[in-house]
């Protein structure tokens, strides 16, 4: 049909024009001394889970897949990373005060056990990021032990 062809052509042209707009993807930084991973001894299995399921929004080491460079997807991904880093950035872990750490550990426990994190849209694109029961209990135990250690 002619109308379908015209609409498709217009959409493609819009998509092409959009690519000239800034992608607004937050930049990555190399691992620094404040990174959770480099700072202190975090159990390897915890690091693996966080890296696999959380770091793409809550660290300065985001793995951007190819589609995240295409506007308007780039804007959605960029917003998640900006907001995610604002709430909790594992790359700034060493800079948080003890009081802040406790608050964030509590929030991590809450988000993970309720299944609110990782975000559903992220799981849709990264099915392996979904936490199973065992992974949830590993994270919960880690947050409990950590808070206990801080309060000691
Ligand atoms: C796709 C990006 C994305 C991923 C992956 C992700 N988050 Fe988030 N997270 C966000 C965004 C955006 C917010 C802020 C908005 C909100 O609370 O929904 C947030 C908020 C949070 C908060 C603060 C909640 C509050 O209200 O105090 C915690 C804690 C958190 N995330 C933990 C995690 C953990 C742990 C993982 C991995 C298991 C994870 N997130 C994976 C994007 C993400």
């Amino acid at each position: 049909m002619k109308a379908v062809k015209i609409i498709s052509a217009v959409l493609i042209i819009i998509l092409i024009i959009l690519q000239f707009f800034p992608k607004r993807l937050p930049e990555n930084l190399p691992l620094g001394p404040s990174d959770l991973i480099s700072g202190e001894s975090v159990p390897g299995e915890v690091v693996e889970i966080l890296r696999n399921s959380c770091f793409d929004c809550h660290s300065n080491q985001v793995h951007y897949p190819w589609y995240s460079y295409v506007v308007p997807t780039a804007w959605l991904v960029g917003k998640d990373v900006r907001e995610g880093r604002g709430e909790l950035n594992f790359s700034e872990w060493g800079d948080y005060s003890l009081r802040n750490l406790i608050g964030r550990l509590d929030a991590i426990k809450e988000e993970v056990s309720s299944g609110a994190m990782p975000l559903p849209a992220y799981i849709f694109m990264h099915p392996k990021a979904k936490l199973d029961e065992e992974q949830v209990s590993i994270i919960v135990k880690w947050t409990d032990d950590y808070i206990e250690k801080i309060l000691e």
Side-chain angles (χ1 to χ4, degrees), residues 34 36 40 88-96 101 105 146:
S34 299
L36 177 78
E40 51 194 296
L88 163 73
N89 190 342
F90 287 114
S91 302
E92 293 172 359
W93 194 255
D95 303 330
Y96 292 144
L101 276 186
L105 286 162
Y146 204 137

Side-chain angles (χ1 to χ4, degrees), residues 20-37:
F20 290 95
F21 285 81
K23 303 192 189 316
R24 306 188 58 223
L25 287 175
E27 271 185 45
N28 277 327
L29 297 170
L31 270 186
S34 299
D35 268 274
L36 177 78
I37 309 180

Side-chain angles (χ1 to χ4, degrees), residues 53-54 57-58 80 83 87-88 107-108 111-112 117-119 122:
S53 300
C54 318
C57 297
H58 294 290
D80 274 350
E83 284 181 14
E87 289 281 341
L88 163 73
I108 293 169
E111 297 296 314
V112 165
M117 288 286 155
L119 291 179
Y122 182 78

Side-chain angles (χ1 to χ4, degrees), residues 49-50 52-58 77 79-85 87-88 90 103-112 116-123 126 129 131 139:
I49 295 170
L50 298 179
N52 193 38
S53 300
C54 318
F55 270 40
D56 274 350
C57 297
H58 294 290
V77 172
K79 183 168 178 282
D80 274 350
V81 176
R82 246 185 317 278
E83 284 181 14
R85 282 182 184 174
E87 289 281 341
L88 163 73
F90 287 114
R104 285 186 162 89
L105 286 162
D106 248 343
I108 293 169
K109 179 177 168 177
E110 165 82 32
E111 297 296 314
V112 165
M117 288 286 155
L119 291 179
Y122 182 78
I123 293 178
H126 305 79
L131 302 183
I139 297 299

Side-chain angles (χ1 to χ4, degrees), residues 13 19 26 60 63 71 88 93 102 119 135 137 139 145 152:
I13 290 168
Q19 302 320 306
N60 294 338
H63 169 74
V71 181
L88 163 73
W93 194 255
I102 293 178
L119 291 179
Q135 289 171 313
S137 54
I139 297 299
D145 290 351
E152 243 168 31

